[in-house]
Amino acid sequence: MTDKTSNKMWGGRFAAGPDAIMEAINASIGFDRRMAAQDIAGSRAHAAMLAAQGIITDTDAEAIGEGLLTVMSEIEGGSFVFSTALEDIHMNVEARLTELIGAPAGRLHTARSRNDQVATDFRLWVRDQLDACESGLTALIRALLEQAESGADWVMPGFTHLQTAQPVTWGHHMMAYVEMFGRDLGRVRDARIRMNESPLGAAALAGTSFPIDRDMTAAALGFDRPCANSLDAVSDRDFALEFLGAASICAMHLSRMAEELVIWSSAQFRFVTLSDRFSTGSSIMPQKKNPDAAELIRAKVGRIFGANTALMMVMKGLALTYSKDMQEDKEQVFDAADNLMLALAAMEGMVRDMTANRESLAAAAGSGFSTATDLADWLVRVAGLPFREAHHVTGALVALAESRGCDLPDLSLAEMQGVHADITMDVFGVLGVENSVNSRMSYGGTAPAQVRAQIARWKETLE
């Protein structure tokens, strides 16, 4: 389409077309074409409302509605020709609609501005992404529940500072991520509720003198209600920022789990075996099986965090209402949404396919004096020592075991009594890792019975 066509769309105010530089910096069609479906849905709802209110005729509304469906069909079929001279998806659609149906297309923009149009389109698009995130998170949580259930009583080391701390169960570790991603799911649902208000009808910034029905268009587009303030409706992008905030926290959780999978799948740990579907080989070392999917998930966090920061910087200095700066609100959100959904799908696939190596987990669970806290607790509970003294005695026993090159259960009773005379044979009943995890019956603890209870609770929640 020509600059002349572009000028006609703008009206009579501008006599000359923009030069190439202005066209390039002003155009957003290269990325906002992704909102074509949302733009056409909004226009169809708007046209139907205009007819219902007697602002345009039913005949014109019907022509507009049918013409918009044709435009959507062309876009989906790949035959639609996008023009940078027409700047954005809204003008591209309207220009093609004019070619298809003629004069009635010019009535579509009655009682509407590109400001409320783009705000509506963008809300609809972000809402779709929140729905997709909900589905992706739910699928990932279900995959984690399957892993947790299969290994609810498998022992493994729990870590602090990446040092062996206390024995836990594989199921308990998987359920920790269920809780994290469950909160992410809650944030996504909360964000959707808050943003589900329709800007359509706010017009440029002040509303319109036409007798429009904003409740009708809001309902047609699946919004709960219209935005209550026309200035706010066209000028804020907090719904996109909230999506990016939730996406950033979720991506951080994905990255933490990805880091564990990288470590756990290494030859030094051998806690898990990742499937070939989510691993690659080395170009030179035939023995290698690299956890590339996990590493790429770990890296994508930077893009999502960056999108959040970038949009914050765009919005932070804008006086009300709309400024052209806000055209820069979409590319970062599009990129963040793409990468979050890809990372969620990849993590779900890895979790479903991975195999936990029970023997390696159990062997590591008993190393590093992991039952030292159980010994200290026994000294308090049975021998009656104050905890600080029990802590000191246990530390001395750990040092003794280190000097002998063995673990705590390998010390003899005589050696233990040499450190504290009140220790009896009963202490060996708490030093095994199985005994340790079974004893952690406090709510939210690692005991298999507690893990299974949490699995059941989550299954019921998801259903």
Side-chain angles (χ1 to χ4, degrees):
M1 304 207 181
T2 64
D3 283 347
K4 185 176 180 181
T5 305
S6 176
N7 297 337
K8 186 177 179 181
M9 295 299 295
W10 270 112
R13 169 65 180 83
F14 297 96
D19 62 24
I21 295 174
M22 183 59 193
E23 182 177 296
I25 197 171
N26 199 44
S28 60
I29 190 60
F31 51 86
D32 71 11
R33 67 178 64 182
R34 293 185 63 166
M35 300 193 303
Q38 289 79 15
D39 188 71
I40 288 171
S43 290
R44 281 173 55 80
H46 184 66
M49 180 275 296
L50 292 176
Q53 294 298 103
I55 299 170
I56 65 174
T57 67
D58 290 341
T59 302
D60 283 347
E62 184 177 345
I64 290 168
E66 291 300 318
L68 287 169
L69 288 178
T70 300
V71 174
M72 192 68 241
S73 178
E74 291 176 351
I75 292 173
E76 290 176 340
S79 63
F80 190 94
V81 178
F82 293 96
S83 168
T84 56
L86 291 170
E87 298 182 21
D88 57 30
I89 187 60
H90 326 297
M91 300 295 262
N92 270 264
V93 168
E94 188 175 333
R96 179 58 180 149
L97 183 65
T98 301
E99 292 175 349
L100 290 170
I101 68 170
R107 297 185 175 90
L108 172 59
H109 212 54
T110 306
R112 187 177 71 171
S113 163
R114 280 202 299 180
N115 291 356
D116 63 333
Q117 189 177 0
V118 69
T120 302
D121 293 358
F122 200 23
R123 278 192 190 238
L124 289 171
W125 194 90
V126 171
R127 190 178 71 186
D128 287 345
Q129 302 314 300
L130 289 167
D131 290 343
C133 284
E134 180 173 2
S135 296
L137 281 163
T138 301
L140 175 55
I141 289 170
R142 290 189 188 281
L144 287 163
L145 288 171
E146 289 177 12
Q147 284 285 349
E149 195 163 30
S150 68
D153 56 356
W154 297 3
V155 292
M156 67 174 289
F159 297 94
T160 61
H161 310 279
L162 207 55
Q163 306 294 313
T164 299
Q166 293 176 307
V168 296
T169 54
W170 171 257
H172 195 52
H173 202 113
M174 292 298 100
M175 290 304 293
Y177 283 110
V178 168
E179 294 293 332
M180 291 182 203
F181 293 123
R183 289 191 296 275
D184 292 328
L185 185 59
R187 275 182 280 271
V188 164
R189 289 170 173 168
D190 288 347
R192 193 192 193 285
I193 292 169
R194 244 184 310 281
M195 62 86 66
N196 203 34
E197 297 181 343
S198 174
L200 194 56
L205 75 161
T208 178
S209 59
F210 288 94
I212 62 173
D213 184 346
R214 294 190 63 207
D215 289 302
M216 179 180 174
T217 50
L221 294 170
F223 289 111
D224 294 328
R225 65 192 68 85
C227 296
N229 183 285
S230 61
L231 300 173
D232 173 59
V234 300
S235 68
D236 208 349
R237 295 295 185 266
D238 58 355
F239 63 91
L241 285 165
E242 190 163 7
F243 166 67
L244 290 176
S248 294
I249 297 172
C250 180
M252 176 270 294
H253 287 150
L254 288 167
S255 182
R256 293 186 72 182
M257 186 164 196
E259 170 71 359
E260 294 210 311
L261 294 182
V262 170
I263 293 170
W264 289 353
S265 62
S266 68
Q268 289 72 30
F269 274 72
R270 298 186 188 278
F271 283 5
V272 299
T273 301
L274 299 178
S275 75
D276 292 345
R277 293 200 309 143
F278 295 96
S279 306
T280 64
S282 166
S283 63
I284 191 173
M285 295 169 283
Q287 83 282 8
K288 292 291 290 302
K289 184 176 179 181
N290 299 322
D292 283 9
E295 292 170 354
L296 288 166
I297 289 172
R298 193 174 56 187
K300 286 184 181 298
V301 175
R303 295 175 70 155
I304 297 170
F305 284 10
N308 194 13
T309 301
L311 185 52
M312 283 284 195
M313 294 302 291
V314 167
M315 298 301 300
K316 73 172 184 63
L318 300 186
L320 299 183
T321 57
Y322 182 83
S323 296
K324 194 69 172 182
D325 312 50
M326 291 166 69
Q327 183 168 289
E328 295 297 311
D329 60 358
K330 296 171 196 69
E331 282 185 282
Q332 289 87 3
V333 178
F334 292 163
D335 185 74
D338 289 346
N339 282 283
L340 179 63
M341 290 310 303
L342 187 57
L344 281 169
M347 183 60 79
E348 182 211 345
M350 280 192 293
V351 170
R352 285 196 185 281
D353 287 2
M354 73 181 178
T355 302
N357 301 324
R358 186 175 185 178
E359 285 119 14
S360 296
L361 292 168
S367 66
F369 309 105
S370 64
T371 56
T373 305
D374 297 275
L375 174 56
D377 289 346
W378 183 89
L379 288 168
V380 171
R381 190 172 59 252
V382 178
L385 274 64
F387 181 77
R388 286 300 171 200
E389 184 181 350
H391 187 283
H392 177 78
V393 169
T394 301
L397 288 167
V398 168
L400 177 61
E402 277 185 318
S403 69
R404 299 279 196 274
C406 65
D407 207 344
L408 285 172
D410 301 319
L411 291 174
S412 69
L413 178 60
E415 287 174 316
M416 289 189 179
Q417 289 177 334
V419 174
H420 198 283
D422 291 340
I423 297 176
T424 69
M425 280 297 295
D426 290 344
V427 75
F428 291 99
V430 301
L431 292 180
V433 291
E434 300 282 352
N435 294 328
S436 176
V437 297
N438 285 325
S439 71
R440 308 289 172 180
M441 277 295 292
S442 56
Y443 181 81
T446 193
Q450 283 292 322
V451 171
R452 292 188 177 101
Q454 295 300 331
I455 292 169
R457 177 178 67 86
W458 268 101
K459 283 184 172 182
E460 183 178 351
T461 299
L462 292 179
E463 289 170 2

